[in-house]
Structure formats: structure tokens, C-alpha cells
Amino acid sequence: MRWLVTGAGGMLGHDVVGELRGRGADVTGLDHSALDITEPGSVERAFTAHRPEIVVNCAAYAAVDDAESDEATALRVNGDGPRLLARACAAHGARLIHVSTDYVFSGKGRTTPYPEDHPPAPRTAYGRTKLAGERAVLDELPGASAVVRTAWLYGVHGKNFVRTMIGIEASRPTVDVVDNQRGQPTWSADVAARIADLGPRIGPDVNGVFHATSSGDATWYELAREVFRLLGADPDRVRPTDTTPWPRPAPRPEYSALAHGRWRTIGLPPPRDWRTALHEALPRIRKESPS
């Protein structure tokens, strides 16, 4: 099968391309300079040139705070762009996997993971625009598309919390980390593998929403302590705090763990625990991350 990955310059897009190539797939990865998903002409040229059978949309406007003051731009990328891709897939007979986020939920007043069919209720401009993209894909391409929600990504490529903590451990005696937000630290390479598994299965009986985060949950403080522990450093150098000292334009979810019930319905086990994934990922991040 021929795969096309949009947003291939980002952390997840880079890993999806690498995962597919590792499996011997015929894959083309295009970053924003090569494919602007908001421009119909750019989308059509990409489909004509590469004739994809499966498209993975990793392109996104991901500046959560900036979206609060520029929702129109975020909506063009996160809502209109996926709609154009879905229409192109329909016209060319391709399937589509669209990457989305935990921000489609409110993140308030909950203590158990959100199932895939829980009603969305975004509280931010970013969440609203990502929900618009989900709905566009599922409306335009029913039976041949999947929405894959993920969250709290870290990996080798691009800025992320785990890489930041590695740098802080080597340069500062202590660090204050937020302990009143709970989610699921997730290695981008694991999500890439889930996407590669899902793509060939998409069809009339396998479609809709899937959650691709690690199992279990943690606060940012607990994640930072685990990073320090795995580095051989004293976890007590990480000190808990709350969000009060760092107000942000967009409210962060207080609880945004996602449930993984749908994977079993297509013959795949639920994702592994976040600590197990981090233990494997950390040496690679330290070794391979750009300086």
C-alpha cells in the first residue's frame, strides 16, 4: 500500500514515516513546505503525484495558547485542512487517519478515563478547532476514516516535556513541576506503531474514533520524578507545585486520561503502561535527540 503522511516534519509525523519505512511500506512524508493542507491546489497536487491509498494527517496548528487569540487560523488548519484531505481521499479512493487530541474533552470534574464515545466538550479554541477537524473527517469520509486521539506526547524529534526534563536534570539543582494536571505520558513512537497497525484495517467495519495514549496516568510532577529516577538522579529534586504561578491563556485539562476500549474490537491489545514505554524511550531520546 502507498502511504502519505502530512506534517511529516513534526515529532509524530517523523515517527510515523520511520515506523512505516521500518515495516517496508511505500511511504511519502511531506512537511508544510511540501504540502499545505489548507490549500486545495496543494492537496490535489500531492494526491496526483503520490497516489496514496492511506493518508495519515499529522499536520496541525498546535499552539494551544496562540489559538485563543487567533482561532480563525487554527480553524483553517485544524478544521478546514482535514476536510480538504477527506474530500481528496473520497475522490481518489484513499483511506484517512486523522490525529486529534484530548483537548476535545473538558478535562474537568472527571476521575476515570474518557471512553471513545464520550460527548466532546472543549473549553479552548484549540480544542474546538480540533473537534471541527474530527467531525469534518468522519462526515466527509464515513466508512473509510479513523480519528486517533492522543495526548502528552514526547519523543526524539521536536520540543517536549521529557527532553526538557533531561536538560534540566543536568543543569539545575531543583525544578518545580505542576502536580494538579493528570494525563497519560505517551511515547510518539508507540502512537506511530498504532497508526501503522490501524491503517490497513480501516474499512466499513473498522472506522471512527480510537484513543492512542499510554495506559495508566500521571501528573507532570510524577512524570518528571520518573524521568529523574531513570536518569539515576534523585527524584526529590523535583518539587510539586500547581498552575497558579503560571497562568496561561488557554486552560489546561485537570484530568484528560483516555480509555482504550476499541482496540480489542479490532484484535489489538490496549496500549502499554506509560512507565514501561518511558523506560524504553528515555535512552533513545538521550542518544538521538538533536542537540
Side-chain angles (χ1 to χ4, degrees):
M1 285 187 168
R2 293 182 300 275
W3 295 69
L4 175 66
V5 179
T6 73
M11 176 169 56
L12 180 57
H14 193 286
D15 281 354
V16 171
V17 172
E19 176 69 24
L20 291 169
R21 285 180 177 162
R23 298 184 182 204
D26 180 353
V27 56
T28 299
L30 300 178
D31 62 14
H32 177 73
S33 66
L35 170 56
D36 181 349
I37 66 169
T38 70
E39 293 294 332
S42 181
V43 171
E44 183 58 32
R45 285 191 295 273
F47 273 73
T48 301
H50 301 291
R51 298 178 296 114
E53 296 170 275
I54 305 175
V55 176
V56 182
N57 181 35
C58 296
Y61 182 110
V64 174
D65 289 323
D66 292 347
E68 292 298 309
S69 58
D70 193 8
E71 189 166 350
T73 299
L75 182 60
R76 190 170 74 250
V77 178
N78 293 341
D80 299 342
R83 185 177 297 278
L84 285 175
L85 289 174
R87 287 177 175 174
C89 284
H92 290 265
R95 288 170 267 184
L96 175 60
I97 297 176
H98 173 64
V99 177
S100 192
T101 173
D102 60 323
Y103 274 76
V104 301
F105 299 119
S106 72
K108 288 184 68 68
R110 193 172 180 88
T111 57
T112 57
Y114 288 96
E116 292 88 345
D117 61 357
H118 192 277
R123 293 192 297 137
T124 65
Y126 171 68
R128 289 190 294 272
T129 63
K130 290 297 289 183
L131 179 58
E134 288 189 9
R135 288 174 170 168
V137 166
L138 298 176
D139 287 347
E140 297 284 348
L141 201 63
S145 64
V147 169
V148 173
R149 294 179 183 141
T150 191
W152 287 39
L153 287 181
Y154 64 86
V156 172
H157 306 280
K159 295 180 180 179
N160 59 79
F161 182 85
V162 170
R163 282 185 60 192
T164 297
M165 287 301 107
I166 292 171
I168 286 176
E169 189 282 320
S171 62
R172 289 165 51 180
T174 62
V175 59
D176 295 335
V177 180
V178 169
D179 196 31
N180 64 340
Q181 297 170 5
R182 183 166 291 276
Q184 293 160 311
T186 300
W187 188 16
S188 55
D190 281 351
V191 181
R194 285 278 152 161
I195 288 171
D197 289 337
L198 178 60
R201 291 173 163 85
I202 293 175
D205 297 323
V206 178
N207 53 70
V209 178
F210 294 82
H211 287 167
T213 51
S214 290
S215 297
D217 59 55
T219 66
W220 294 111
Y221 163 72
E222 291 166 346
L223 172 57
R225 284 180 60 88
E226 188 67 7
V227 170
F228 271 53
R229 188 187 70 80
L230 291 173
L231 292 172
D234 182 2
D236 289 339
R237 290 167 54 195
V238 182
R239 305 180 304 194
T241 186
D242 61 28
T243 52
T244 304
W246 300 287
R248 308 290 287 273
R252 269 41 178 184
E254 297 168 10
Y255 181 90
S256 62
L258 305 179
H260 310 109
R262 290 212 62 206
W263 293 111
R264 289 194 185 279
T265 68
I266 64 170
L268 292 174
R272 59 182 171 168
D273 181 78
W274 70 267
R275 288 182 177 85
T276 302
L278 181 65
H279 186 272
E280 181 180 337
L282 197 66
R284 286 184 52 181
I285 295 171
R286 294 182 71 188
K287 178 182 179 181
E288 301 177 25
S289 291
S291 59

